[in-house]
Structures are given as C-alpha cells and as structure tokens.
Amino acid sequence: MNASTASRPSTLRALFVSSRPISWVNTAYPFGAAYLLGSGVGVEGGGGFSLVAFLVGVVYFLVPYNLAMYGINDVFDYESDLRNPRKGGVEGALLDKSVHRTTLWAVVITNVPFLVALVVLGAVSGNGPWSWLVLAISVFAVIAYSAPGLRFKEKPFLDSLTSSTHFVSPAIYGLALAGPHWTGQLVAVCVAFFLWGVASHAFGAVQDVLADRAGGIGSVATVIGARATVRLAFVAYLVAGVALLFSAFPGPIAAVVVIPYALNVLPWWNITDQGAEAANAGWKRFLWINYLAGFIVTMALIAYAFTH
C-alpha cells in the first residue's frame, strides 16, 4: 500500500461524514412528529397510524435523505470546499475525489428503495397523490440545490428557500401521508417552520461569504452582504415566532423557541464582509441550539396531543 492510498479515508467513513450525522435528527424528527400528529394523535381527520409507514419514513429521512442532500453537495462543491477552512469536520465533509462516484451511487442505492416503498405506502394509505407530490418536491429540492444545471444554491434568495424546503418538506410529507384536515392553525405552524429554515440558511451563508466569492458561488449573503443577511435572519426568526402565535395551544408557547436563535445572530448585527468568518462561532452555537429547541417543541407536541 503506497502513501497516497493509505492516506485516503475509508469509503464508508467518508459516506458517514458526508451525511452529517449531527443533522440527521433535523429531518427525521419533523417527519416523525408530523406523521404521529397527523395520523390521529392530536389532529382531527388523520387517516390512521401505520407503524410500517412511520418506521420507513423515519429511517429514510434519518440517513438516506441526508446522504443525498449533503453527499451531492459535497461532490459538486469540491472546488469551493477546498477554499473553505471549516470544511473537513462536523460542519461539512471534504470528500476525496476518489469517492465522488461512489458517493453518487450510494445516494441512488440508498434512496430509491425507500422512495419506492414510500410511494406504495402512500397508495395504501389512500393519500397517494398529495403525498407523492410533496415527496417529489422534497427530493427535487435536494437534487436541485447542488446538481449541475440547476444549482439553486447559487441563486440568491432561492438558495435559502430551497434549503428551508429540505427541512420543512419532511414534515409536510408526514402530514400529507397521514392526511389530516388542514386548518389555518396547522398552516401557521408550517409557515413558522419555513421562516425558521430561511433564517437559518441565510445566517449560515454569512460565514462563507469570502469563500463563496472566491469560488465564484453566489448566495443571499454574497449579494446583499453579511450585515444585511444577518439582519434578514434576525427578522425572519422573529416573524416565525409571530406566526406560531396563530397556531393552536400550546403552539404559541413554542414561539419562545425563536428567542435563542434571534439572540444568537444578534452579536453580528454590524458584521462586515471581511470579518464574516467570525459568524462561524454563532453557527456552531446554532447546531446546539437545535437540540434545546427540539426539547421545547417536543414538550409542546406532547401537550398538544394530550389536550386535543
């Protein structure tokens, strides 16, 4: 074994890191929670709970979905990732070129069987057309964000909208698969979640302003600047909280979840483009705030299930 071969990370480890294990819960949890509630646990009109649908959906959105979302991105962002100092760890893999083809094949092999199963389960549930549409939009958003020819991540503002879709669509899919009656209060929750996603992506783009510009990649932050992007994220978080006030009790209580996110971006209110990399400290806190927010939301969901 020569030195170059020995230095290459194992393929399995590369795939594992590329799937961003720390973020698995961010897509599996929204699906699981939405499906449980939508199937009759606290929301009127659900089509009934299916353990098979629940498990298949949770496992899909836990690992294969994230491998597709981040793996495709790591393959086609390789050149710009080389210029990004935060790549190569928990915040993003730096995939060796030797595993690029393997990564794309792994995405296909791990995703297709689950997608076929979910389509079948949608037909069995009687909510096929709507669940199929939402699932198709979700998968398209994952591919379109990074794949050549589409590259939504390089289209300012559309990048944040698409990224938010990555995290909100599993929840919408869970609801579509369960088939509850849609109400204004349920829509308010989805709108709040979507605004949270837009704000989070925008703030995450701030730290990469210089690296993205050097790599020729456009983003909401490269267009309007780091300072304006931080302020956009701050406002979006607050509006998300306001939207939750229009949801059913105890949803309004969950509005406090946006407070730590808003406070987290506030120190960079006057950040400059040249100093934008400093926002990475806030992004690292963001990753941990998600767990605190997840706990609060879980308690609210439990309370919701017991009061409806």
Side-chain angles (χ1 to χ4, degrees), residues 126-143:
N127 300 310
W130 282 113
S131 66
W132 297 339
L133 175 63
V134 177
L135 187 61
I137 292 173
S138 184
V139 173
F140 174 76
V142 165
I143 296 172

Side-chain angles (χ1 to χ4, degrees), residues 64-233:
Y65 182 82
N66 280 288
L67 178 60
M69 179 162 55
Y70 295 115
I72 294 173
N73 180 76
D74 288 341
V75 168
F76 295 111
D77 276 13
Y78 179 73
E79 295 301 327
S80 62
D81 285 350
L82 286 173
R83 301 179 177 89
N84 195 330
R86 69 185 186 89
K87 297 297 183 178
V90 68
E91 297 179 65
L94 184 59
L95 287 180
D96 188 280
K97 281 190 173 182
S98 64
V99 297
H100 283 189
R101 181 183 295 272
T102 302
T103 299
L104 296 179
W105 272 112
V107 168
V108 174
I109 293 170
T110 58
N111 276 258
V112 171
F114 279 95
L115 292 174
V116 171
L118 290 172
V119 167
V120 172
L121 289 168
V124 171
S125 72
N127 300 310
W130 282 113
S131 66
W132 297 339
L133 175 63
V134 177
L135 187 61
I137 292 173
S138 184
V139 173
F140 174 76
V142 165
I143 296 172
Y145 187 73
S146 304
L150 295 170
R151 298 289 289 176
F152 284 6
K153 70 169 297 174
E154 295 187 28
K155 296 174 172 56
F157 299 103
L158 183 58
D159 56 346
S160 292
L161 295 175
T162 305
S163 177
S164 185
T165 301
H166 293 162
F167 299 98
V168 178
S169 61
I172 304 297
Y173 174 69
L175 292 171
L177 186 60
H181 294 157
W182 281 85
T183 65
Q185 295 173 329
L186 192 56
V187 171
V189 173
C190 295
V191 169
F193 191 11
F194 192 81
L195 288 171
W196 170 88
V198 169
S200 299
H201 177 272
F203 181 61
V206 171
Q207 62 194 324
D208 292 331
V209 165
L210 297 181
D212 284 347
R213 283 177 178 163
I217 295 177
S219 74
V220 59
T222 63
V223 170
I224 66 175
R227 182 178 303 167
T229 305
V230 167
R231 296 178 180 184
L232 172 66

